[in-house]
Amino acid sequence: MIKYSNGKSYSPKQIKKTEDKKTVSLKRHLSSANRGMDLEEDINASNEYYRERDLCLITKRPTPINIVKVDYSKGAIITNAYFEKQSTTDYNGVYKGRYIDFEAKQTKSKTSFPLANISKHQIEHLKKVLKQGGIAFFIIEFVLRDEVYLLDAKYVIDCYENGDRKSIPYEKFVEVGHKIKRGYAPRLDYLPVIEEIYGKN
Amino acid sequence: MIKYSNGKSYSPKQIKKTEDKKTVSLKRHLSSANRGMDLEEDINASNEYYRERDLCLITKRPTPINIVKVDYSKGAIITNAYFEKQSTTDYNGVYKGRYIDFEAKQTKSKTSFPLANISKHQIEHLKKVLKQGGIAFFIIEFVLRDEVYLLDAKYVIDCYENGDRKSIPYEKFVEVGHKIKRGYAPRLDYLPVIEEIYGKN
């Protein structure tokens, strides 16, 4: 019996059977310190996968940084700077000529996604994207469920502005959202979901 | 007679007549130290003008910075970082649902635009944008002529990859490119040029 750090014990046979699904999940639980980065890394890796194969071209916007001081004596080392708030969303790009724009979020809640996770700036930005006819959505991970959903921005904005709740229940994601498959390559295959939802219009 | 710092003298009447055109030009020549920033500032100001009026949504990508050290004792001050090369172009966004992507360049030459100003990464990125059906172009300023042109990326890429010259002659910009009007607001009205060139297809 092999004891995993989640406290459970498995026989080698059990491990082999469940390996595909559980190993990925276990690896995520084990590296809880890095959990915040998993979703971003998965999306970046998928974007690279798509880029190499010319399936679409979507990239993460660099974090805006306000530079106070640069030391030019040894090249150009920034010695004083601070993080600025992103006034847009984290990801954008192009797919079949259409503009794609989305924000990636995570929640440790199993029952709902807190709308406080979204800043007003991001809502304003996505509204303007929609006004210009762009494709806009959220990719939201329920970390403890190891499930990732794509949810159209119109729906999220409506909840944010007109809803009487401070969160979107998990059930709504199942009902209105689209689950994104996790795998080896690409790690988070969200492009087929975009094609499915937005492909015809 | 009022003597300007360019050595010329003008009567008040002459000043009034030529003020609209010349004042803007003089201001640019006078602030030669900031000239490198003029084009970027003009584009950013125009983007803000367009954004406020919901005409389009185009923004400058933040410069990617590689962070080595952050001092968390007083908030989060970055104390050691360096500039990374932009792997994409500087500007992208959406107009009528279409993905827009462009790079802004300047040249002090009056006779041609040196292709060495463009990095291979930018060419590769724009090729991929075109492959995905996005709208891609260059905004190029002939600083000493105070003229700004929009030139489609396909043309520039062709010169870069297949041309026998190391530069694009000014005459080609006049022939194949589109001059962008400079003004008060927006400072560089490039959106009507996009509509004119790409509006029907």
Side-chain angles (χ1 to χ4, degrees):
Chain A
M1 293 292 268
I2 296 169
K3 204 170 161 101
Y4 275 77
S5 46
N6 66 353
K8 290 196 174 173
S9 299
Y10 297 94
S11 70
K13 218 183 196 179
Q14 279 175 303
I15 291 166
K16 206 175 182 347
K17 225 198 314 192
T18 59
E19 188 142 53
D20 282 356
K21 273 197 282 181
K22 274 250 186 287
T23 305
V24 176
S25 310
L26 278 164
K27 276 188 180 152
R28 287 186 204 289
H29 287 296
L30 287 170
S31 62
S32 57
N34 292 331
R35 196 182 295 164
M37 289 302 290
D38 279 342
L39 181 63
E40 190 179 302
E41 284 175 358
D42 286 352
I43 295 173
N44 293 347
S46 297
N47 289 342
E48 186 53 28
Y49 177 95
Y50 296 144
R51 195 189 69 84
E52 285 170 350
R53 292 159 181 73
D54 283 318
L55 295 171
C56 71
L57 189 66
I58 294 172
T59 55
K60 185 177 191 298
R61 276 175 83 88
T63 312
I65 284 160
N66 207 311
I67 295 159
V68 179
K69 196 168 172 193
V70 184
D71 181 357
Y72 290 105
S73 61
K74 301 167 215 166
I77 307 286
I78 299 160
T79 52
N80 194 344
Y82 55 90
F83 295 99
E84 267 188 340
K85 270 201 161 177
Q86 185 84 275
S87 61
T88 66
T89 46
D90 277 342
Y91 294 93
N92 76 354
V94 57
Y95 172 59
K96 293 187 175 178
R98 300 284 305 272
Y99 176 81
I100 309 288
D101 196 303
F102 67 90
E103 184 67 25
K105 297 283 187 192
Q106 294 175 299
T107 178
K108 286 184 186 155
S109 164
K110 276 182 136 176
T111 54
S112 64
F113 173 74
L115 288 163
N117 278 7
I118 306 169
S119 79
K120 200 169 195 320
H121 276 137
Q122 289 169 339
I123 295 291
E124 288 311 308
H125 171 78
L126 289 164
K127 281 169 78 171
K128 286 193 178 283
V129 170
L130 290 168
K131 206 156 190 173
Q132 279 297 322
I135 291 171
F137 53 84
F138 282 81
I139 287 183
I140 293 171
E141 179 185 23
F142 284 88
V143 178
L144 295 181
R145 289 184 176 270
D146 198 20
E147 290 175 8
V148 188
Y149 289 86
L150 188 154
L151 194 55
D152 185 73
K154 273 184 229 77
Y155 183 84
V156 178
I157 292 166
D158 191 44
C159 293
Y160 189 94
E161 297 193 325
N162 308 320
D164 51 354
R165 289 192 54 146
K166 290 183 173 182
S167 62
I168 303 174
Y170 169 74
E171 291 71 30
K172 283 295 177 188
F173 283 85
V174 178
E175 185 193 333
V176 181
H178 292 74
K179 202 178 201 177
I180 305 172
K181 257 194 248 179
R182 264 192 154 133
Y184 179 66
R187 287 206 226 160
L188 198 68
D189 203 7
Y190 68 93
L191 196 59
V193 179
I194 293 177
E195 177 62 42
E196 186 190 326
I197 305 171
Y198 308 102
K200 280 92 197 166
N201 26 311
Chain B
M1 292 291 266
I2 295 168
K3 202 170 161 103
Y4 273 78
S5 45
N6 66 354
K8 290 194 173 174
S9 300
Y10 299 93
S11 69
K13 219 185 195 176
Q14 281 174 298
I15 292 167
K16 204 173 182 351
K17 229 201 306 192
T18 59
E19 187 143 51
D20 283 354
K21 276 200 279 184
K22 274 251 184 286
T23 306
V24 176
S25 309
L26 276 163
K27 277 192 178 151
R28 287 191 204 286
H29 286 295
L30 287 170
S31 63
S32 57
N34 292 331
R35 197 182 296 163
M37 289 299 292
D38 279 343
L39 182 63
E40 190 180 302
E41 284 174 357
D42 287 350
I43 294 173
N44 293 347
S46 297
N47 288 343
E48 186 53 29
Y49 177 95
Y50 296 145
R51 196 188 68 84
E52 286 170 351
R53 292 159 183 71
D54 283 317
L55 296 172
C56 71
L57 189 66
I58 294 172
T59 55
K60 184 178 191 298
R61 278 175 81 87
T63 312
I65 283 160
N66 206 313
I67 295 159
V68 179
K69 196 170 172 192
V70 184
D71 182 359
Y72 289 106
S73 62
K74 301 166 214 164
I77 308 288
I78 299 160
T79 52
N80 192 343
Y82 54 91
F83 295 99
E84 267 186 341
K85 268 197 161 182
Q86 185 84 274
S87 60
T88 66
T89 46
D90 276 344
Y91 294 92
N92 77 353
V94 57
Y95 173 58
K96 293 188 175 175
R98 301 284 306 273
Y99 176 81
I100 309 289
D101 195 304
F102 66 92
E103 183 68 25
K105 298 283 187 191
Q106 294 175 298
T107 179
K108 287 183 185 156
S109 164
K110 277 183 136 177
T111 54
S112 65
F113 173 74
L115 288 163
N117 278 8
I118 306 169
S119 80
K120 203 175 195 315
H121 275 137
Q122 291 169 338
I123 294 291
E124 289 312 308
H125 172 78
L126 289 164
K127 282 168 79 173
K128 284 191 178 287
V129 169
L130 290 169
K131 207 156 189 171
Q132 279 296 322
I135 292 171
F137 53 85
F138 283 81
I139 287 183
I140 293 170
E141 179 185 23
F142 284 88
V143 177
L144 296 181
R145 288 182 177 272
D146 197 19
E147 289 175 10
V148 187
Y149 289 86
L150 189 153
L151 195 54
D152 186 72
K154 271 184 231 77
Y155 183 83
V156 178
I157 292 167
D158 191 44
C159 292
Y160 190 94
E161 296 194 325
N162 308 320
D164 50 356
R165 289 193 54 147
K166 290 184 172 180
S167 62
I168 302 174
Y170 169 74
E171 291 72 30
K172 282 295 176 189
F173 283 84
V174 178
E175 184 192 334
V176 181
H178 292 73
K179 202 179 200 177
I180 305 173
K181 258 194 247 179
R182 264 193 154 132
Y184 178 67
R187 286 205 227 159
L188 198 67
D189 204 7
Y190 68 92
L191 194 60
V193 179
I194 292 178
E195 176 63 42
E196 186 191 323
I197 305 173
Y198 308 102
K200 280 91 198 170
N201 27 310

